[in-house]
Amino acid sequence: MLDDVTKALDNTNNIGTQLILYDFSKAFDLMDHKLLLSKLSDLDFSPPTISLVANYLNNRSHCVLLRGNNVKSEYRTSNIGVPQGTLCGLTLWLAFVNSLAFSSGNAIKYADDTTAYYPLSKSATITTTNRKSEVKFEPPDIGQTLIDECQEWAIQNKMRLNAEKTKCLNIALKKTITMNNPLSMNDQHQVESVTNAKLLGVTIDSHLSFSEHITAIRKSASKKIHGLLVLKQSGVDQASLTHLYQSRIIPTISHASPAWYPFITDHQKEELEKTQRLALRIIYSDEEHYCDA
């Protein structure tokens, strides 16, 4: 998605790119079994596979258990929903949401996150204020169309599109671009226009600076580094500390880094390096040089 966005931003015929980040309420819990099986058939899943999925989903029962008080509700069966946390859950959702198509622009779907995006071309976008660092514009028809098409799909497939959590993000590298009139859902609720949004664990901002993301992952890593210090003072051996660093801290810092690392500044890279330097100073306190650690 970022590759498409940056290509659009490199095009001098565009003033920016608009992202619409949809949020489905209880996506896994509301999947209708009959609709799901029909979609699997449309995708040419084999009849035995469809029968297996049907057997897996039909007549599932569940209850609510309060462990502390040892209180349990009656068991109830349900004809909707797919168990979360299962290996097949994500695959079944992707098969379910595959039929969501947009007439224009691009869209990505991963797990229960769906994002549509399109370039704001100068020829199709009416700008009302054009200053050196700020551009105000009227949203083109395509933005509202993408909202309406997703809403219509949600109704047809018995899903709930969360209007309050659906966001709009306008991206430009240097200028700040803002809409005069917001997009709307159901002709009533205004889709909030934000300056940054979190997608798959990465905070994307309106200038692709990723400063909010760097701040967030450094803060998260610092808390875990404090845990390293406590364990070191408690006498935990070096091998275990190294394992903790590799399994808990490095993934925090490097999550999805191929997407955002090329965009960040040398100063931001140094800040990330400082975080790692501190962790290694705790683990390998007997090493004089950082490179050796």
Side-chain angles (χ1 to χ4, degrees):
M1 186 196 73
L2 286 174
D3 187 49
D4 290 339
V5 168
T6 52
K7 285 179 181 177
L9 295 176
D10 286 339
N11 190 331
T12 56
N13 294 322
N14 301 323
I15 66 169
T17 303
Q18 186 168 83
L19 273 64
I20 301 174
L21 301 99
Y22 303 97
D23 184 88
F24 292 101
S25 298
K26 300 183 180 296
F28 289 90
D29 296 334
L30 294 180
M31 273 193 280
D32 184 273
H33 293 171
K34 289 184 178 179
L35 282 173
L36 173 59
L37 297 176
S38 174
K39 293 176 186 293
L40 292 178
S41 178
D42 293 339
L43 291 170
D44 292 329
F45 276 66
S46 67
T49 301
I50 296 175
S51 297
L52 183 65
V53 172
N55 182 271
Y56 172 67
L57 295 177
N58 289 342
N59 298 319
R60 294 188 69 91
S61 60
H62 62 274
C63 70
V64 176
L65 174 65
L66 301 179
R67 293 186 182 276
N69 299 321
N70 198 26
V71 177
K72 184 167 65 175
S73 70
E74 295 180 359
Y75 278 90
R76 296 289 181 90
T77 57
S78 175
N79 61 351
I80 62 171
V82 171
Q84 297 190 45
T86 59
L87 292 175
C88 65
L90 289 175
T91 303
L92 293 177
W93 166 253
L94 289 177
F96 192 88
V97 80
N98 183 69
S99 61
L100 171 57
F102 298 97
S103 58
S104 53
N106 297 295
I108 60 164
K109 305 166 191 173
Y110 188 88
D112 58 346
D113 286 297
T114 298
T115 303
Y117 57 97
Y118 66 99
L120 295 165
S121 64
K122 293 179 180 179
S123 60
T125 307
I126 302 174
T127 57
T128 56
T129 303
N130 195 337
R131 299 176 183 173
K132 186 176 181 180
S133 59
E134 181 180 6
V135 174
K136 290 187 177 181
F137 66 94
E138 296 292 334
D141 293 338
I142 181 176
Q144 188 59 55
T145 299
L146 293 175
I147 292 285
D148 295 341
E149 288 176 341
C150 190
Q151 179 67 21
E152 183 179 354
W153 179 89
I155 294 172
Q156 292 176 349
N157 290 273
K158 303 179 182 180
M159 303 298 294
R160 297 176 190 166
L161 196 57
N162 191 328
E164 294 183 357
K165 291 186 178 181
T166 296
K167 308 293 182 183
C168 174
L169 176 63
N170 302 307
I171 298 178
L173 292 180
K174 295 182 179 179
K175 293 185 177 181
T176 299
I177 56 175
T178 55
M179 293 186 295
N180 286 331
N181 299 314
L183 303 173
S184 63
M185 191 173 293
N186 300 326
D187 297 325
Q188 296 176 349
H189 186 89
Q190 294 182 352
V191 177
E192 183 183 1
S193 183
V194 295
T195 56
N196 62 75
K198 199 168 187 178
L199 179 63
L200 304 178
V202 177
T203 302
I204 304 173
D205 58 72
S206 57
H207 296 304
L208 293 184
S209 67
F210 292 96
S211 55
E212 296 268 353
H213 182 68
I214 299 299
T215 299
I217 62 176
R218 286 196 68 211
K219 184 177 180 180
S220 178
S222 295
K223 292 180 180 178
K224 296 172 183 177
I225 289 174
H226 176 71
L228 271 182
L229 180 60
V230 172
L231 292 172
K232 176 73 177 288
Q233 293 172 343
S234 301
V236 174
D237 62 276
Q238 197 174 71
S240 297
L241 294 175
T242 302
H243 178 72
L244 182 64
Y245 169 71
Q246 293 174 332
S247 62
R248 295 282 291 165
I249 297 174
I250 287 296
T252 299
I253 297 173
S254 62
H255 170 68
S257 56
W260 54 261
Y261 191 79
F263 294 93
I264 66 176
T265 64
D266 290 340
H267 174 70
Q268 289 172 322
K269 293 175 183 178
E270 178 58 27
E271 290 298 304
L272 291 177
E273 198 71 23
K274 285 181 181 178
T275 303
Q276 297 176 80
R277 189 178 288 114
L278 175 60
L280 294 184
R281 192 181 302 131
I282 293 171
I283 300 172
Y284 300 104
S285 55
D286 52 336
E287 293 289 349
E288 184 177 352
H289 298 292
Y290 171 54
C291 291
D292 295 332

